[in-house]
mmCIF file of all heavy atoms in Angstrom:
data_model
loop_
_atom_site.group_PDB
_atom_site.id
_atom_site.type_symbol
_atom_site.label_atom_id
_atom_site.label_comp_id
_atom_site.label_asym_id
_atom_site.label_seq_id
_atom_site.Cartn_x
_atom_site.Cartn_y
_atom_site.Cartn_z
ATOM 1 N N LEU B 50 -1.319 116.526 -61.560
ATOM 2 C CA LEU B 50 0.013 116.994 -61.937
ATOM 3 C C LEU B 50 -0.077 118.003 -62.975
ATOM 4 O O LEU B 50 0.685 119.151 -63.011
ATOM 5 C CB LEU B 50 0.964 115.975 -62.393
ATOM 6 C CG LEU B 50 2.480 116.367 -62.483
ATOM 7 C CD1 LEU B 50 3.063 116.609 -61.168
ATOM 8 C CD2 LEU B 50 3.213 115.337 -63.175
ATOM 9 N N THR B 51 -1.033 117.990 -63.988
ATOM 10 C CA THR B 51 -1.115 118.852 -65.068
ATOM 11 C C THR B 51 -1.962 120.052 -64.867
ATOM 12 O O THR B 51 -1.838 121.061 -65.472
ATOM 13 C CB THR B 51 -1.478 118.132 -66.378
ATOM 14 O OG1 THR B 51 -2.714 117.473 -66.074
ATOM 15 C CG2 THR B 51 -0.442 117.228 -66.876
ATOM 16 N N THR B 52 -2.957 119.865 -63.912
ATOM 17 C CA THR B 52 -3.739 121.073 -63.549
ATOM 18 C C THR B 52 -3.221 121.779 -62.426
ATOM 19 O O THR B 52 -2.595 122.913 -62.557
ATOM 20 C CB THR B 52 -5.240 120.746 -63.311
ATOM 21 O OG1 THR B 52 -5.241 119.637 -62.250
ATOM 22 C CG2 THR B 52 -5.891 120.199 -64.434
ATOM 23 N N THR B 53 -3.302 121.260 -61.117
ATOM 24 C CA THR B 53 -2.808 121.921 -59.882
ATOM 25 C C THR B 53 -1.228 122.100 -60.066
ATOM 26 O O THR B 53 -0.666 123.129 -59.733
ATOM 27 C CB THR B 53 -3.061 121.069 -58.750
ATOM 28 O OG1 THR B 53 -4.395 120.573 -58.896
ATOM 29 C CG2 THR B 53 -2.910 121.879 -57.500
ATOM 30 N N GLY B 54 -0.526 121.074 -60.722
ATOM 31 C CA GLY B 54 0.930 121.183 -60.829
ATOM 32 C C GLY B 54 1.483 121.917 -62.013
ATOM 33 O O GLY B 54 2.585 122.200 -62.138
ATOM 34 N N HIS B 55 0.652 122.192 -62.890
ATOM 35 C CA HIS B 55 1.018 122.903 -64.068
ATOM 36 C C HIS B 55 2.136 122.311 -64.939
ATOM 37 O O HIS B 55 2.923 123.005 -65.517
ATOM 38 C CB HIS B 55 1.253 124.392 -63.855
ATOM 39 C CG HIS B 55 0.132 125.109 -63.200
ATOM 40 N ND1 HIS B 55 -0.858 125.487 -63.853
ATOM 41 C CD2 HIS B 55 0.084 125.541 -61.904
ATOM 42 C CE1 HIS B 55 -1.729 126.077 -62.943
ATOM 43 N NE2 HIS B 55 -1.064 126.140 -61.731
ATOM 44 N N ALA B 56 2.224 120.901 -64.710
ATOM 45 C CA ALA B 56 3.367 120.282 -65.449
ATOM 46 C C ALA B 56 2.870 119.923 -66.833
ATOM 47 O O ALA B 56 1.623 119.807 -67.132
ATOM 48 C CB ALA B 56 3.662 118.980 -64.731
ATOM 49 N N PRO B 57 3.888 119.645 -67.736
ATOM 50 C CA PRO B 57 3.484 119.180 -69.154
ATOM 51 C C PRO B 57 2.788 117.749 -69.123
ATOM 52 O O PRO B 57 2.885 117.086 -68.202
ATOM 53 C CB PRO B 57 4.782 119.151 -69.840
ATOM 54 C CG PRO B 57 5.826 119.106 -68.871
ATOM 55 C CD PRO B 57 5.210 119.762 -67.647
ATOM 56 N N ILE B 58 1.919 117.569 -70.178
ATOM 57 C CA ILE B 58 1.160 116.373 -70.178
ATOM 58 C C ILE B 58 1.934 115.137 -70.164
ATOM 59 O O ILE B 58 1.679 114.113 -69.415
ATOM 60 C CB ILE B 58 0.193 116.411 -71.465
ATOM 61 C CG1 ILE B 58 -0.750 117.539 -71.414
ATOM 62 C CG2 ILE B 58 -0.408 115.152 -71.732
ATOM 63 C CD1 ILE B 58 -1.506 117.905 -72.623
ATOM 64 N N LEU B 59 3.101 115.152 -70.896
ATOM 65 C CA LEU B 59 3.941 113.875 -70.893
ATOM 66 C C LEU B 59 4.336 113.553 -69.433
ATOM 67 O O LEU B 59 4.407 112.376 -69.084
ATOM 68 C CB LEU B 59 5.091 114.143 -71.742
ATOM 69 C CG LEU B 59 4.950 113.649 -73.188
ATOM 70 C CD1 LEU B 59 6.254 113.924 -74.025
ATOM 71 C CD2 LEU B 59 4.466 112.266 -73.400
ATOM 72 N N ALA B 60 4.724 114.632 -68.664
ATOM 73 C CA ALA B 60 5.089 114.387 -67.293
ATOM 74 C C ALA B 60 3.952 113.700 -66.487
ATOM 75 O O ALA B 60 4.208 112.749 -65.694
ATOM 76 C CB ALA B 60 5.404 115.641 -66.624
ATOM 77 N N GLY B 61 2.753 114.100 -66.801
ATOM 78 C CA GLY B 61 1.563 113.561 -66.205
ATOM 79 C C GLY B 61 1.445 112.100 -66.463
ATOM 80 O O GLY B 61 1.243 111.278 -65.570
ATOM 81 N N TRP B 62 1.633 111.869 -67.795
ATOM 82 C CA TRP B 62 1.454 110.393 -68.201
ATOM 83 C C TRP B 62 2.616 109.504 -67.426
ATOM 84 O O TRP B 62 2.486 108.366 -67.168
ATOM 85 C CB TRP B 62 1.637 110.223 -69.722
ATOM 86 C CG TRP B 62 0.417 110.838 -70.494
ATOM 87 C CD1 TRP B 62 -0.728 111.399 -69.678
ATOM 88 C CD2 TRP B 62 0.004 111.013 -71.766
ATOM 89 N NE1 TRP B 62 -1.599 111.831 -70.558
ATOM 90 C CE2 TRP B 62 -1.109 111.701 -71.945
ATOM 91 C CE3 TRP B 62 0.759 110.748 -73.009
ATOM 92 C CZ2 TRP B 62 -1.843 111.960 -73.188
ATOM 93 C CZ3 TRP B 62 0.283 111.043 -74.154
ATOM 94 C CH2 TRP B 62 -1.095 111.607 -74.233
ATOM 95 N N ALA B 63 3.678 110.061 -67.379
ATOM 96 C CA ALA B 63 4.893 109.362 -66.798
ATOM 97 C C ALA B 63 4.487 109.100 -65.371
ATOM 98 O O ALA B 63 4.769 107.957 -64.816
ATOM 99 C CB ALA B 63 6.130 110.043 -66.971
ATOM 100 N N LEU B 64 4.015 110.167 -64.812
ATOM 101 C CA LEU B 64 3.635 109.928 -63.299
ATOM 102 C C LEU B 64 2.521 108.852 -63.112
ATOM 103 O O LEU B 64 2.478 108.047 -62.260
ATOM 104 C CB LEU B 64 3.092 111.253 -62.701
ATOM 105 C CG LEU B 64 2.824 111.250 -61.238
ATOM 106 C CD1 LEU B 64 4.073 111.037 -60.372
ATOM 107 C CD2 LEU B 64 2.029 112.328 -60.747
ATOM 108 N N ALA B 65 1.622 108.852 -64.051
ATOM 109 C CA ALA B 65 0.493 107.923 -64.033
ATOM 110 C C ALA B 65 1.063 106.469 -64.042
ATOM 111 O O ALA B 65 0.641 105.481 -63.323
ATOM 112 C CB ALA B 65 -0.464 108.134 -65.164
ATOM 113 N N LEU B 66 2.110 106.269 -65.015
ATOM 114 C CA LEU B 66 2.639 105.015 -65.160
ATOM 115 C C LEU B 66 3.354 104.603 -63.865
ATOM 116 O O LEU B 66 3.157 103.426 -63.306
ATOM 117 C CB LEU B 66 3.898 105.048 -66.130
ATOM 118 C CG LEU B 66 3.621 104.588 -67.521
ATOM 119 C CD1 LEU B 66 4.802 104.813 -68.428
ATOM 120 C CD2 LEU B 66 3.240 103.030 -67.608
ATOM 121 N N ILE B 67 4.073 105.515 -63.286
ATOM 122 C CA ILE B 67 4.751 105.239 -62.043
ATOM 123 C C ILE B 67 3.735 104.973 -60.944
ATOM 124 O O ILE B 67 3.995 103.999 -60.108
ATOM 125 C CB ILE B 67 5.813 106.347 -61.588
ATOM 126 C CG1 ILE B 67 6.883 106.356 -62.749
ATOM 127 C CG2 ILE B 67 6.360 106.132 -60.339
ATOM 128 C CD1 ILE B 67 7.587 107.671 -62.783
ATOM 129 N N ALA B 68 2.810 105.744 -60.784
ATOM 130 C CA ALA B 68 1.876 105.723 -59.623
ATOM 131 C C ALA B 68 1.144 104.456 -59.734
ATOM 132 O O ALA B 68 0.920 103.735 -58.724
ATOM 133 C CB ALA B 68 0.929 106.970 -59.612
ATOM 134 N N GLY B 69 0.746 103.963 -60.917
ATOM 135 C CA GLY B 69 -0.064 102.804 -61.149
ATOM 136 C C GLY B 69 0.854 101.590 -60.709
ATOM 137 O O GLY B 69 0.422 100.584 -59.917
ATOM 138 N N GLY B 70 2.087 101.749 -61.209
ATOM 139 C CA GLY B 70 3.035 100.574 -60.947
ATOM 140 C C GLY B 70 3.270 100.446 -59.427
ATOM 141 O O GLY B 70 3.317 99.358 -58.919
ATOM 142 N N LEU B 71 3.498 101.510 -58.750
ATOM 143 C CA LEU B 71 3.833 101.526 -57.290
ATOM 144 C C LEU B 71 2.557 100.994 -56.561
ATOM 145 O O LEU B 71 2.754 100.103 -55.572
ATOM 146 C CB LEU B 71 4.081 102.958 -56.764
ATOM 147 C CG LEU B 71 5.567 103.406 -57.136
ATOM 148 C CD1 LEU B 71 5.738 104.811 -56.512
ATOM 149 C CD2 LEU B 71 6.632 102.379 -56.489
ATOM 150 N N ALA B 72 1.434 101.441 -56.891
ATOM 151 C CA ALA B 72 0.128 100.964 -56.318
ATOM 152 C C ALA B 72 0.053 99.391 -56.416
ATOM 153 O O ALA B 72 -0.381 98.717 -55.540
ATOM 154 C CB ALA B 72 -1.034 101.672 -56.842
ATOM 155 N N GLY B 73 0.412 99.017 -57.689
ATOM 156 C CA GLY B 73 0.250 97.543 -57.927
ATOM 157 C C GLY B 73 1.341 96.781 -57.060
ATOM 158 O O GLY B 73 1.029 95.735 -56.571
ATOM 159 N N LEU B 74 2.526 97.297 -56.992
ATOM 160 C CA LEU B 74 3.524 96.734 -56.060
ATOM 161 C C LEU B 74 3.137 96.613 -54.680
ATOM 162 O O LEU B 74 3.205 95.587 -54.005
ATOM 163 C CB LEU B 74 4.925 97.559 -56.240
ATOM 164 C CG LEU B 74 6.178 96.820 -56.153
ATOM 165 C CD1 LEU B 74 6.256 95.709 -57.094
ATOM 166 C CD2 LEU B 74 7.344 97.665 -56.330
ATOM 167 N N VAL B 75 2.441 97.700 -54.137
ATOM 168 C CA VAL B 75 2.064 97.705 -52.746
ATOM 169 C C VAL B 75 0.927 96.625 -52.601
ATOM 170 O O VAL B 75 1.069 95.830 -51.685
ATOM 171 C CB VAL B 75 1.590 99.127 -52.376
ATOM 172 C CG1 VAL B 75 0.828 99.051 -51.056
ATOM 173 C CG2 VAL B 75 2.715 100.113 -52.335
ATOM 174 N N VAL B 76 0.109 96.550 -53.475
ATOM 175 C CA VAL B 76 -1.126 95.551 -53.436
ATOM 176 C C VAL B 76 -0.493 94.162 -53.314
ATOM 177 O O VAL B 76 -0.920 93.314 -52.596
ATOM 178 C CB VAL B 76 -2.093 95.831 -54.449
ATOM 179 C CG1 VAL B 76 -2.985 94.685 -54.525
ATOM 180 C CG2 VAL B 76 -2.870 97.153 -54.177
ATOM 181 N N THR B 77 0.289 93.821 -54.321
ATOM 182 C CA THR B 77 0.881 92.536 -54.393
ATOM 183 C C THR B 77 1.733 92.176 -53.176
ATOM 184 O O THR B 77 1.446 91.072 -52.592
ATOM 185 C CB THR B 77 1.756 92.190 -55.672
ATOM 186 O OG1 THR B 77 2.422 93.286 -55.927
ATOM 187 C CG2 THR B 77 0.896 91.554 -56.673
#
Side-chain angles (χ1 to χ4, degrees):
Chain B
L50 190 69
T51 52
T52 54
T53 318
H55 303 290
I58 293 171
L59 269 182
W62 292 356
L64 181 70
L66 261 176
I67 295 164
L71 280 180
L74 209 55
V75 169
V76 167
T77 30

